[in-house]
Amino acid sequence: MTILEQMIERARKNPQRIVLPEGDEPRTLEAANILLKERLAKLILIGNKTTIEKMADDNGYDYIREATIFDPATEPKMADYAHLLYELRKAKGMTEEEAAKKAQDPLYLGCLMIKNGDADGELAGARGTTADTIRPAFQILKTKPNCKIVSGAFLMFTPAKQLGEDGFLVFADCAVNPCPNAEELAQIAISTAETARGLSQIEPRVAMLSFSTKGSAKHELVDKVVEATRLAKELDPNLNIDGELQADAALVESVGLKKAPGSSVAGKANVLVFPDLQAGNIGYKLVERFSGADAIGPILQGIAAPVNDLSRGCKVQDIVQMVIITANQAISIN
């Protein structure tokens, strides 16, 4: 059974309450019908109830009737969510009137549902920007304890079975932070290891990537990776992490043995932490295009509860897969 098949089975056995704030978005609704048919999640669709039901009927999405459709215009519980938002944000100057208005925003509402214990995770972004998705999560859910930074990981399923974990690797940060400092990079490494462990059940072997391996080059950019590696070991002494490592030293056993002899990670890495967003974003896209790898993500990590973002160009299958991943994140937390 592949790692993705394991995640599907885990989601089916323990269905999570996943809120989809863009309930009347066509691709989202089609994906929701598939997920409900396959019993992969308990879905909450936010939107106009009449509109969603008509779209479902017009397209033959018979399983949408099994979803919870939450219509902000008619739900009496909106007052509770507005009050919750006011309590959370009044110290920042938010008034009760502003909270009532902001709670009508489906992206805020989804996070309020999670905060209130009415949902386990959220997936959005088919219509809006990453910033629009992350902002309410920051304000309402905040980051995990001892974590100050949100980052984005990709699950990489490659045909190169000799690499990573039978061709499976996790890349980060490929989506959020343009130029993390050493402390932030260390936290990204720890979060990515947690993502790898929680979603795939593998034991992470984390490589902190650089253009240098073990002092082969001298530069302040190398120093940052070295310091980040030290800090990550300090924050999580049990984490199997090494750096700085060039990509070939991290992935290819024969190279790792030559360049970093004695390393428990070199040549065997299944988690790659890139030194900045340029490298991470370019790196995952090159692997995806050149090798025919499947890249699933970005998976947002570091938030206190699962909130994930979609590309506005996403396909129905992307939404299905990301709901499965969001559900698995919720399972690993619970």
Side-chain angles (χ1 to χ4, degrees):
M1 187 180 291
T2 67
I3 287 172
L4 190 55
E5 288 170 340
Q6 290 172 13
M7 286 193 282
I8 291 170
E9 191 62 24
R10 207 175 298 126
R12 184 175 285 119
K13 286 181 177 178
N14 190 2
Q16 300 293 295
R17 301 165 300 170
I18 307 301
V19 58
L20 303 175
E22 299 157 325
D24 60 355
E25 197 279 324
R27 293 161 297 173
T28 300
L29 197 62
E30 183 178 350
N33 191 64
I34 294 169
L35 289 157
L36 292 165
K37 181 181 179 180
E38 297 297 324
R39 301 284 190 267
L40 294 172
K42 298 175 182 178
L43 298 182
I44 303 166
L45 305 178
I46 297 178
N48 181 274
K49 185 176 177 68
T50 302
T51 299
I52 291 173
E53 289 179 342
K54 184 178 186 307
M55 289 176 66
D57 289 343
D58 289 348
N59 289 280
Y61 298 156
D62 296 336
Y63 288 89
I64 293 299
R65 67 173 66 96
E66 298 181 15
T68 298
I69 301 176
F70 191 99
D71 189 339
T74 59
E75 284 285 350
K77 200 167 184 177
M78 283 301 300
D80 295 334
Y81 290 132
H83 180 69
L84 174 59
L85 181 58
Y86 169 67
E87 290 296 322
L88 291 169
R89 300 295 294 170
K90 64 182 180 182
K92 298 292 185 179
M94 181 174 283
T95 66
E96 292 185 71
E97 292 77 14
E98 289 170 339
K101 182 178 180 181
K102 186 67 75 174
Q104 295 282 332
D105 182 332
L107 294 171
Y108 275 82
L109 181 54
C111 289
L112 288 166
M113 288 180 173
I114 297 171
K115 186 70 173 180
N116 203 49
D118 299 326
D120 302 305
E122 174 190 304
L123 177 66
R127 278 195 181 124
T129 66
T130 297
D132 289 338
T133 300
I134 293 178
R135 189 179 302 109
F138 268 132
Q139 294 180 4
I140 296 166
L141 301 171
K142 306 189 184 303
T143 54
K144 290 180 178 180
N146 303 317
C147 183
K148 300 176 182 178
I149 191 168
V150 173
S151 54
F154 276 82
L155 306 185
M156 305 296 296
F157 296 90
T158 81
K161 301 300 183 182
Q162 74 277 15
L163 302 180
E165 206 75 23
D166 196 30
F168 169 77
L169 301 100
V170 184
F171 288 10
D173 177 7
C174 305
V176 181
N177 301 281
C179 192
N181 60 32
E183 182 182 4
E184 291 167 337
L185 200 57
Q187 292 189 349
I188 290 168
I190 292 170
S191 292
T192 311
E194 290 176 354
T195 294
R197 189 182 292 114
L199 293 182
S200 65
Q201 311 298 297
I202 66 171
E203 191 53 37
R205 299 182 295 273
V206 183
M208 304 293 280
L209 297 184
S210 174
F211 61 86
S212 169
T213 296
K214 298 297 183 179
S216 64
K218 303 295 183 184
H219 193 276
E220 61 184 18
L221 294 176
V222 177
D223 295 340
K224 181 181 80 168
V225 177
V226 172
E227 176 65 5
T229 306
R230 186 191 69 78
L231 289 170
K233 289 177 179 178
E234 190 176 276
L235 291 167
D236 186 355
N238 296 319
L239 182 61
N240 190 8
I241 184 171
D242 201 5
E244 85 285 15
L245 295 172
Q246 291 163 294
D248 58 349
L251 293 170
V252 182
E253 188 171 10
S254 60
V255 178
L257 287 170
K258 290 178 182 178
K259 292 188 174 184
S263 171
S264 61
V265 172
K268 300 184 286 287
N270 52 26
V271 173
L272 303 185
V273 176
F274 292 82
D276 59 34
L277 183 55
Q278 288 197 98
N281 193 271
I282 292 167
Y284 99 80
K285 288 180 178 177
L286 286 175
V287 171
E288 182 183 28
R289 299 300 177 182
F290 283 177
S291 76
D294 290 327
I296 301 178
I299 300 160
L300 297 181
Q301 45 189 29
I303 303 173
V307 173
N308 281 311
D309 179 47
L310 293 162
S311 164
R312 279 173 283 181
C314 64
K315 299 176 182 177
V316 170
Q317 185 59 25
D318 298 330
I319 300 172
V320 171
Q321 289 178 334
M322 286 303 296
V323 168
I324 292 167
I325 286 169
T326 307
N328 273 265
Q329 285 179 297
I331 291 167
S332 68
I333 291 173
N334 299 332

